[in-house]
Amino acid sequence: MNALLEASRLRMQAALEAHVVAVPEIERSVVAEGLLKRVVGLTLEAVGCQAQIGARCRVISGPENIVEAEVVGFSGERVFLMPIGEMQGLLPNARVIPLPHAAAIPFGDGLLGRVLDGEGKPIDGHGPLHCERRIPTADTINPMLRAPIERPLDVGVRAINTLLSVGRGQRLGLFAGTGVGKSTLLGMMTRFTEADVIVVGLVGERGREVRDFIDHSLGVEGLKRSVVVATPADRPPLLRLRGAWLATSIAESFRDRGQHVLLLMDSLTRFAHAQREIGLAVGEPPTTRGYPPSVFAQLPRLVERAGNGEPGGGSITAIYTVLTEGDDPNDPIADTARGILDGHILLSRSIGESGVYPAIDVEASISRVAKDVTGVPQQKLVRRFRQLISAYQRNRDLISIGAYQKGSDANVDAAIALWPRIEGFLRQDVHEPSNFAAGLAALESLIPQ
């Protein structure tokens, strides 16, 4: 009996030892160290390093010269990495050590009122974060499990509330050229929108705008319920990408807690520019206007993370600014964004130059969920308002030179009579909120019944 027990014990021990030996071998094959052999532009090439795409690595050239990088591709035995920080001081044959830990984000009420970089580290000088825990990034929600968009969201801007009504959980684009006022309008919506938490992603914009947005657009009261993730234009492209993903992940975390989140991303175009830099650096072929295919794959992945959660849960209403380069509304990024968003608001330079702010081009803008969150009476008023604007704009040149003959068209006659009041309705001071009820009442008084 003792011999049988001893034999059984030996077999179990052998099996256990075989398992213990096998696991470290697998781990060593996944996180094998390598050597840095080449630096081309923004890309590091290492040999002997085995790590999956998206994994973090540490490039060590000396005891005080350590750079973190991320695996962005490979070719044969060579692994391509993109540095997260500056590359100064890197030496040939530097050690490349994959890091074993998985990506996680800080989460908790300790984030409110704080300004973070793309790594989730505070940059506001207010000390370390006091968060309850760090959580892994969320998975994409099954579209069949999302709650439908049924409730309107008051954004505090009269023209948007009434003519381009936003629904809770909608993804909306704010399209404009440079200097037309998209950041200022974004600031208005930040201050006036009804939301439990506001998450702001400032991606690839000027460094000056970070402080300006926090001090003037958010203000002290707005910052108390906000989390700002700032990765200005001088940061490496990988860090700019991480800033957009981090802001989205933080918004998802608050949504999963049952809160209603307003996610503001300025801008989606700079996110695309960062991905273009990375794609071209690792050898992707440029396609439309120099953008590689990965750009058009990443945009819907980012946007689809926002939206409603499961019924009875929280929501993310997302507003993405899109820079139309050269005021071209058919710019590749703008055209792609229109196809993946739930609506777009176009800001017109000519309207802004005429003194109307916010410079919303009502004819060229649309909210795809407006019919789901507004009643039939409001929809009739909006249609009539659009008819009047369209009639006036089609005959603007004749009207301006006095060539239009009154009585030629009843719609044009009505538009001319109401035009000063129409422009007054579209104008709104940046410090003047307008709630949903007040905006609807103003529209009713403007449109003749």
Side-chain angles (χ1 to χ4, degrees), residues 127-199:
L129 296 175
H130 299 287
C131 295
E132 295 89 346
R133 62 189 187 279
R134 297 183 71 90
I135 60 175
T137 55
D139 294 327
T140 303
I141 295 179
N142 184 334
M144 297 302 295
L145 300 179
R146 286 186 186 270
I149 300 175
E150 299 174 329
R151 296 180 55 192
L153 180 69
D154 190 342
V155 299
V157 180
R158 182 167 50 246
I160 297 176
N161 278 345
T162 54
L163 307 175
L164 303 162
S165 301
V166 178
R168 192 181 293 278
Q170 183 176 357
R171 286 83 56 96
L172 192 67
L174 197 58
F175 291 64
T178 55
V180 184
K182 59 184 182 302
S183 295
T184 306
L185 179 57
L186 202 68
M188 290 178 64
M189 299 170 77
T190 303
R191 292 192 302 273
F192 304 149
T193 300
E194 296 178 348
D196 299 323
V197 177
I198 298 171
V199 180

Side-chain angles (χ1 to χ4, degrees), residues 149-153 159-168 170-172 342-344 365-380 382-383 386 436:
I149 300 175
E150 299 174 329
R151 296 180 55 192
L153 180 69
I160 297 176
N161 278 345
T162 54
L163 307 175
L164 303 162
S165 301
V166 178
R168 192 181 293 278
Q170 183 176 357
R171 286 83 56 96
L172 192 67
D342 301 323
H344 57 271
S365 304
I366 188 173
S367 172
R368 292 194 175 101
V369 304
K371 290 185 178 180
D372 300 323
V373 298
T374 59
V376 173
Q378 180 178 342
Q379 294 169 21
K380 290 181 177 179
V382 172
R383 281 197 295 270
R386 285 177 174 271
F436 204 93

Side-chain angles (χ1 to χ4, degrees), residues 85-145:
E86 300 295 333
M87 293 192 294
Q88 283 86 352
L90 288 181
L91 297 173
N93 295 317
R95 294 173 63 199
V96 180
I97 305 175
L99 301 178
H101 59 79
I105 61 171
F107 176 67
D109 290 334
L111 289 175
L112 299 178
R114 302 304 303 269
V115 184
L116 316 176
D117 65 6
E119 295 268 71
K121 299 174 182 176
I123 58 174
D124 51 10
H126 294 161
L129 296 175
H130 299 287
C131 295
E132 295 89 346
R133 62 189 187 279
R134 297 183 71 90
I135 60 175
T137 55
D139 294 327
T140 303
I141 295 179
N142 184 334
M144 297 302 295
L145 300 179

Side-chain angles (χ1 to χ4, degrees), residues 293-334:
S294 62
V295 172
F296 303 102
Q298 290 281 29
L299 287 174
R301 285 187 59 212
L302 178 71
V303 170
E304 283 297 322
R305 305 301 292 252
N308 282 334
E310 297 183 4
S315 65
I316 300 175
T317 305
I319 299 174
Y320 302 92
T321 64
V322 180
L323 177 64
T324 53
E325 297 183 3
D327 289 345
D328 179 11
N330 296 316
D331 170 82
I333 301 304

Side-chain angles (χ1 to χ4, degrees), residues 9 27 39 49 52 74 79 97 116 139 201 206 221 227-228 245 249 282 290 309 371 390 421 436:
R9 186 186 67 80
E27 290 179 351
V39 178
C49 177
Q52 61 189 5
F74 56 84
V79 174
I97 305 175
L116 316 176
D139 294 327
R206 294 181 291 273
E221 292 302 316
V227 184
V228 180
W245 288 111
S249 296
V282 298
K371 290 185 178 180
S390 179
R421 294 182 61 193
F436 204 93

Side-chain angles (χ1 to χ4, degrees), residues 377-395:
Q378 180 178 342
Q379 294 169 21
K380 290 181 177 179
L381 291 173
V382 172
R383 281 197 295 270
R384 180 57 179 161
F385 189 94
R386 285 177 174 271
Q387 287 173 355
L388 293 174
I389 286 185
S390 179
Y392 189 91
Q393 296 294 356
R394 287 198 310 269
N395 295 272

